[in-house]
Short mmCIF file of all heavy atoms in Angstrom, two decimals:
data_model
loop_
_atom_site.label_atom_id
_atom_site.label_comp_id
_atom_site.label_asym_id
_atom_site.label_seq_id
_atom_site.Cartn_x
_atom_site.Cartn_y
_atom_site.Cartn_z
N GLU A 254 107.27 58.24 81.51
CA GLU A 254 108.36 59.01 80.90
C GLU A 254 109.69 58.29 81.08
O GLU A 254 110.52 58.27 80.17
CB GLU A 254 108.44 60.41 81.50
CG GLU A 254 107.27 61.30 81.15
CD GLU A 254 107.18 61.57 79.65
OE1 GLU A 254 108.22 61.73 79.00
OE2 GLU A 254 106.05 61.60 79.14
N GLU A 255 109.89 57.68 82.24
CA GLU A 255 111.12 56.91 82.49
C GLU A 255 111.21 55.72 81.54
O GLU A 255 112.27 55.43 80.99
CB GLU A 255 111.13 56.43 83.95
CG GLU A 255 112.31 55.59 84.31
CD GLU A 255 113.55 56.41 84.55
OE1 GLU A 255 113.43 57.60 84.87
OE2 GLU A 255 114.65 55.86 84.41
N GLU A 256 110.10 55.04 81.32
CA GLU A 256 110.08 53.90 80.40
C GLU A 256 110.37 54.34 78.97
O GLU A 256 111.12 53.68 78.25
CB GLU A 256 108.71 53.23 80.47
CG GLU A 256 108.59 52.00 79.61
CD GLU A 256 107.20 51.40 79.71
OE1 GLU A 256 106.62 51.40 80.81
OE2 GLU A 256 106.71 50.92 78.68
N ARG A 257 109.81 55.47 78.56
CA ARG A 257 110.07 56.00 77.21
C ARG A 257 111.54 56.35 77.02
O ARG A 257 112.13 56.06 75.98
CB ARG A 257 109.22 57.24 76.95
CG ARG A 257 107.80 56.96 76.65
CD ARG A 257 107.08 58.25 76.35
NE ARG A 257 105.66 58.03 76.26
CZ ARG A 257 104.75 58.99 76.29
NH1 ARG A 257 105.14 60.25 76.41
NH2 ARG A 257 103.48 58.70 76.19
N SER A 258 112.12 56.99 78.01
CA SER A 258 113.53 57.37 77.88
C SER A 258 114.44 56.14 77.88
O SER A 258 115.45 56.11 77.18
CB SER A 258 113.94 58.35 78.98
OG SER A 258 113.86 57.75 80.24
N ALA A 259 114.08 55.11 78.63
CA ALA A 259 114.88 53.88 78.63
C ALA A 259 114.81 53.22 77.25
O ALA A 259 115.82 52.74 76.73
CB ALA A 259 114.38 52.92 79.70
N ARG A 260 113.62 53.18 76.65
CA ARG A 260 113.50 52.60 75.30
C ARG A 260 114.28 53.40 74.29
O ARG A 260 114.93 52.84 73.40
CB ARG A 260 112.03 52.53 74.89
CG ARG A 260 111.29 51.37 75.49
CD ARG A 260 109.96 51.17 74.81
NE ARG A 260 109.20 52.39 74.68
CZ ARG A 260 108.01 52.61 75.19
NH1 ARG A 260 107.41 51.67 75.89
NH2 ARG A 260 107.39 53.76 75.01
N ALA A 261 114.25 54.72 74.40
CA ALA A 261 115.01 55.57 73.47
C ALA A 261 116.51 55.36 73.65
O ALA A 261 117.26 55.35 72.67
CB ALA A 261 114.65 57.03 73.70
N ARG A 262 116.96 55.18 74.88
CA ARG A 262 118.38 54.94 75.14
C ARG A 262 118.82 53.62 74.52
O ARG A 262 119.87 53.56 73.87
CB ARG A 262 118.61 54.92 76.65
CG ARG A 262 120.05 54.91 77.05
CD ARG A 262 120.24 54.97 78.56
NE ARG A 262 119.43 56.00 79.20
CZ ARG A 262 118.46 55.76 80.10
NH1 ARG A 262 118.19 54.54 80.47
NH2 ARG A 262 117.78 56.76 80.63
N ILE A 263 118.02 52.58 74.66
CA ILE A 263 118.36 51.28 74.07
C ILE A 263 118.36 51.38 72.55
O ILE A 263 119.24 50.82 71.88
CB ILE A 263 117.39 50.19 74.56
CG1 ILE A 263 117.64 49.91 76.03
CG2 ILE A 263 117.54 48.91 73.76
CD1 ILE A 263 116.63 48.99 76.67
N ARG A 264 117.40 52.10 71.99
CA ARG A 264 117.36 52.28 70.53
C ARG A 264 118.62 53.00 70.04
O ARG A 264 119.22 52.61 69.03
CB ARG A 264 116.12 53.07 70.14
CG ARG A 264 115.85 53.06 68.66
CD ARG A 264 114.58 53.79 68.26
NE ARG A 264 113.50 53.67 69.21
CZ ARG A 264 112.90 54.70 69.83
NH1 ARG A 264 113.30 55.93 69.58
NH2 ARG A 264 111.93 54.50 70.69
N GLY A 265 119.06 54.01 70.74
CA GLY A 265 120.28 54.72 70.37
C GLY A 265 121.51 53.84 70.45
O GLY A 265 122.39 53.89 69.59
N LEU A 266 121.56 52.99 71.48
CA LEU A 266 122.69 52.06 71.60
C LEU A 266 122.67 51.03 70.47
O LEU A 266 123.72 50.63 69.98
CB LEU A 266 122.65 51.36 72.95
CG LEU A 266 123.06 52.22 74.14
CD1 LEU A 266 122.77 51.48 75.45
CD2 LEU A 266 124.52 52.59 74.06
N ARG A 267 121.49 50.62 70.06
CA ARG A 267 121.41 49.68 68.93
C ARG A 267 121.93 50.33 67.66
O ARG A 267 122.64 49.69 66.87
CB ARG A 267 119.97 49.23 68.72
CG ARG A 267 119.51 48.21 69.72
CD ARG A 267 118.12 47.77 69.42
NE ARG A 267 117.62 46.90 70.46
CZ ARG A 267 116.36 46.71 70.70
NH1 ARG A 267 115.44 47.31 69.98
NH2 ARG A 267 115.98 45.89 71.66
N TYR A 268 121.57 51.58 67.42
CA TYR A 268 122.07 52.28 66.24
C TYR A 268 123.60 52.40 66.30
O TYR A 268 124.27 52.27 65.29
CB TYR A 268 121.45 53.67 66.11
CG TYR A 268 120.00 53.65 65.72
CD1 TYR A 268 119.13 54.64 66.17
CD2 TYR A 268 119.48 52.67 64.89
CE1 TYR A 268 117.80 54.63 65.80
CE2 TYR A 268 118.15 52.66 64.52
CZ TYR A 268 117.32 53.65 64.98
OH TYR A 268 116.01 53.64 64.62
N THR A 269 124.13 52.67 67.48
CA THR A 269 125.58 52.74 67.65
C THR A 269 126.22 51.40 67.34
O THR A 269 127.23 51.33 66.64
CB THR A 269 125.92 53.16 69.10
OG1 THR A 269 125.30 54.41 69.37
CG2 THR A 269 127.40 53.27 69.31
N PHE A 270 125.63 50.32 67.84
CA PHE A 270 126.13 48.97 67.60
C PHE A 270 126.14 48.66 66.11
O PHE A 270 127.14 48.17 65.58
CB PHE A 270 125.25 47.98 68.36
CG PHE A 270 125.74 46.57 68.35
CD1 PHE A 270 126.79 46.19 69.17
CD2 PHE A 270 125.17 45.62 67.52
CE1 PHE A 270 127.24 44.89 69.18
CE2 PHE A 270 125.61 44.32 67.51
CZ PHE A 270 126.65 43.95 68.34
N VAL A 271 125.06 48.97 65.41
CA VAL A 271 124.97 48.71 63.97
C VAL A 271 125.98 49.57 63.21
O VAL A 271 126.60 49.10 62.25
CB VAL A 271 123.53 48.95 63.46
CG1 VAL A 271 123.46 48.93 61.95
CG2 VAL A 271 122.60 47.91 64.04
N SER A 272 126.20 50.80 63.65
CA SER A 272 127.18 51.66 63.00
C SER A 272 128.59 51.09 63.14
O SER A 272 129.36 51.08 62.17
CB SER A 272 127.16 53.06 63.62
OG SER A 272 125.90 53.66 63.45
N PHE A 273 128.93 50.60 64.33
CA PHE A 273 130.25 50.00 64.52
C PHE A 273 130.41 48.74 63.68
O PHE A 273 131.47 48.48 63.12
CB PHE A 273 130.49 49.67 65.99
CG PHE A 273 130.75 50.88 66.84
CD1 PHE A 273 130.39 50.89 68.18
CD2 PHE A 273 131.37 52.01 66.34
CE1 PHE A 273 130.63 51.99 68.98
CE2 PHE A 273 131.62 53.12 67.11
CZ PHE A 273 131.25 53.10 68.44
N LEU A 274 129.34 47.94 63.57
CA LEU A 274 129.39 46.76 62.71
C LEU A 274 129.62 47.15 61.25
O LEU A 274 130.39 46.49 60.55
CB LEU A 274 128.10 45.96 62.83
CG LEU A 274 127.99 45.01 64.00
CD1 LEU A 274 126.62 44.34 64.00
CD2 LEU A 274 129.07 43.97 63.97
N ALA A 275 128.97 48.22 60.81
CA ALA A 275 129.15 48.67 59.43
C ALA A 275 130.59 49.12 59.19
O ALA A 275 131.18 48.80 58.14
CB ALA A 275 128.18 49.82 59.13
N VAL A 276 131.17 49.83 60.14
CA VAL A 276 132.56 50.28 60.00
C VAL A 276 133.51 49.09 59.96
O VAL A 276 134.45 49.06 59.16
CB VAL A 276 132.92 51.26 61.13
CG1 VAL A 276 134.41 51.53 61.17
CG2 VAL A 276 132.16 52.57 60.96
N LEU A 277 133.24 48.09 60.81
CA LEU A 277 134.08 46.90 60.78
C LEU A 277 133.95 46.17 59.44
O LEU A 277 134.93 45.64 58.92
CB LEU A 277 133.71 45.96 61.93
CG LEU A 277 134.26 46.33 63.29
CD1 LEU A 277 133.70 45.39 64.36
CD2 LEU A 277 135.76 46.28 63.30
N GLY A 278 132.75 46.15 58.88
CA GLY A 278 132.54 45.53 57.57
C GLY A 278 133.31 46.25 56.47
O GLY A 278 133.95 45.61 55.63
N VAL A 279 133.26 47.57 56.50
CA VAL A 279 134.00 48.36 55.51
C VAL A 279 135.50 48.14 55.66
O VAL A 279 136.23 47.99 54.68
CB VAL A 279 133.64 49.87 55.63
CG1 VAL A 279 134.58 50.73 54.82
CG2 VAL A 279 132.20 50.10 55.21
N ALA A 280 135.96 48.08 56.90
CA ALA A 280 137.39 47.83 57.13
C ALA A 280 137.78 46.44 56.64
O ALA A 280 138.87 46.25 56.08
CB ALA A 280 137.72 47.99 58.62
N GLY A 281 136.90 45.47 56.83
CA GLY A 281 137.17 44.13 56.33
C GLY A 281 137.26 44.10 54.81
O GLY A 281 138.13 43.43 54.24
N VAL A 282 136.37 44.83 54.15
CA VAL A 282 136.42 44.90 52.68
C VAL A 282 137.70 45.59 52.22
O VAL A 282 138.33 45.17 51.25
CB VAL A 282 135.16 45.62 52.14
CG1 VAL A 282 135.30 45.94 50.66
CG2 VAL A 282 133.92 44.77 52.38
N LEU A 283 138.10 46.64 52.91
CA LEU A 283 139.36 47.31 52.58
C LEU A 283 140.55 46.36 52.73
O LEU A 283 141.47 46.39 51.91
CB LEU A 283 139.57 48.53 53.48
CG LEU A 283 138.81 49.79 53.11
CD1 LEU A 283 139.00 50.85 54.19
CD2 LEU A 283 139.25 50.31 51.77
N LYS A 284 140.52 45.55 53.78
CA LYS A 284 141.62 44.61 53.99
C LYS A 284 141.66 43.56 52.87
O LYS A 284 142.73 43.16 52.42
CB LYS A 284 141.45 43.92 55.36
CG LYS A 284 142.57 43.00 55.72
CD LYS A 284 143.88 43.76 55.86
CE LYS A 284 144.98 42.83 56.32
NZ LYS A 284 146.27 43.47 56.33
N LEU A 285 140.49 43.12 52.40
CA LEU A 285 140.45 42.17 51.28
C LEU A 285 140.93 42.82 49.99
O LEU A 285 141.61 42.20 49.18
CB LEU A 285 139.04 41.63 51.09
CG LEU A 285 138.54 40.65 52.15
CD1 LEU A 285 137.09 40.31 51.90
CD2 LEU A 285 139.39 39.40 52.16
N ARG A 286 140.56 44.08 49.80
CA ARG A 286 140.92 44.79 48.56
C ARG A 286 142.41 45.15 48.53
O ARG A 286 143.04 45.08 47.49
CB ARG A 286 140.07 46.05 48.45
CG ARG A 286 140.30 46.88 47.25
CD ARG A 286 139.49 46.39 46.09
NE ARG A 286 139.55 47.39 45.04
CZ ARG A 286 140.08 47.15 43.85
NH1 ARG A 286 140.52 45.96 43.56
NH2 ARG A 286 140.12 48.08 42.96
N TYR A 287 142.92 45.59 49.68
CA TYR A 287 144.33 46.00 49.80
C TYR A 287 144.99 45.16 50.90
O TYR A 287 145.06 45.60 52.05
CB TYR A 287 144.43 47.49 50.15
CG TYR A 287 143.72 48.37 49.17
CD1 TYR A 287 142.49 48.95 49.49
CD2 TYR A 287 144.27 48.64 47.93
CE1 TYR A 287 141.83 49.76 48.58
CE2 TYR A 287 143.62 49.45 47.02
CZ TYR A 287 142.41 50.00 47.35
OH TYR A 287 141.75 50.78 46.44
N PRO A 288 145.50 43.99 50.58
CA PRO A 288 146.05 43.09 51.61
C PRO A 288 147.24 43.67 52.38
O PRO A 288 147.46 43.28 53.53
CB PRO A 288 146.48 41.85 50.82
CG PRO A 288 145.81 41.95 49.51
CD PRO A 288 145.52 43.39 49.26
N GLY A 289 147.99 44.57 51.81
CA GLY A 289 149.15 45.15 52.50
C GLY A 289 148.78 46.21 53.52
O GLY A 289 149.63 46.66 54.29
N LEU A 290 147.54 46.62 53.57
CA LEU A 290 147.09 47.68 54.47
C LEU A 290 147.04 47.15 55.91
O LEU A 290 146.45 46.11 56.19
CB LEU A 290 145.70 48.15 54.04
CG LEU A 290 145.16 49.44 54.59
CD1 LEU A 290 146.06 50.60 54.22
CD2 LEU A 290 143.77 49.68 54.06
N ASN A 291 147.66 47.88 56.83
CA ASN A 291 147.68 47.47 58.23
C ASN A 291 146.49 48.11 58.94
O ASN A 291 146.48 49.30 59.24
CB ASN A 291 148.99 47.89 58.90
CG ASN A 291 149.07 47.38 60.32
OD1 ASN A 291 148.30 46.52 60.72
ND2 ASN A 291 150.02 47.92 61.07
N LEU A 292 145.48 47.30 59.22
CA LEU A 292 144.28 47.80 59.88
C LEU A 292 144.14 47.34 61.33
O LEU A 292 143.13 47.60 61.96
CB LEU A 292 143.03 47.34 59.10
CG LEU A 292 142.84 47.96 57.72
CD1 LEU A 292 141.63 47.34 57.05
CD2 LEU A 292 142.65 49.45 57.83
N PHE A 293 145.15 46.64 61.84
CA PHE A 293 145.04 46.10 63.20
C PHE A 293 144.75 47.17 64.26
O PHE A 293 143.86 46.97 65.09
CB PHE A 293 146.27 45.29 63.58
CG PHE A 293 146.17 44.72 64.95
CD1 PHE A 293 145.33 43.65 65.20
CD2 PHE A 293 146.89 45.27 66.00
CE1 PHE A 293 145.22 43.13 66.47
CE2 PHE A 293 146.77 44.77 67.27
CZ PHE A 293 145.94 43.69 67.51
N PRO A 294 145.45 48.30 64.28
CA PRO A 294 145.15 49.30 65.34
C PRO A 294 143.71 49.81 65.27
O PRO A 294 143.04 49.88 66.30
CB PRO A 294 146.15 50.43 65.07
CG PRO A 294 147.24 49.81 64.28
CD PRO A 294 146.61 48.72 63.48
#
């Protein structure tokens, strides 16, 4: 059970990592589309 929960925790962290990458990608596309947009913060 401990091994199963550890694998599930890592899988959840991977999904979180991929979600953050997707958001960064969308923000990058927005910056290309609207160059005057301040996205640094």
Side-chain angles (χ1 to χ4, degrees):
E254 292 297 322
E255 178 78 23
E256 183 181 322
R257 283 183 189 165
S258 64
R260 281 193 312 240
R262 190 177 312 117
I263 290 172
R264 192 177 325 121
L266 286 171
R267 284 182 186 157
Y268 289 148
T269 302
F270 187 77
V271 170
S272 299
F273 287 150
L274 277 178
V276 169
L277 281 174
V279 168
V282 169
L283 281 173
K284 184 63 176 173
L285 288 174
R286 180 85 169 118
Y287 304 104
L290 195 60
N291 184 14
L292 292 176
F293 181 74

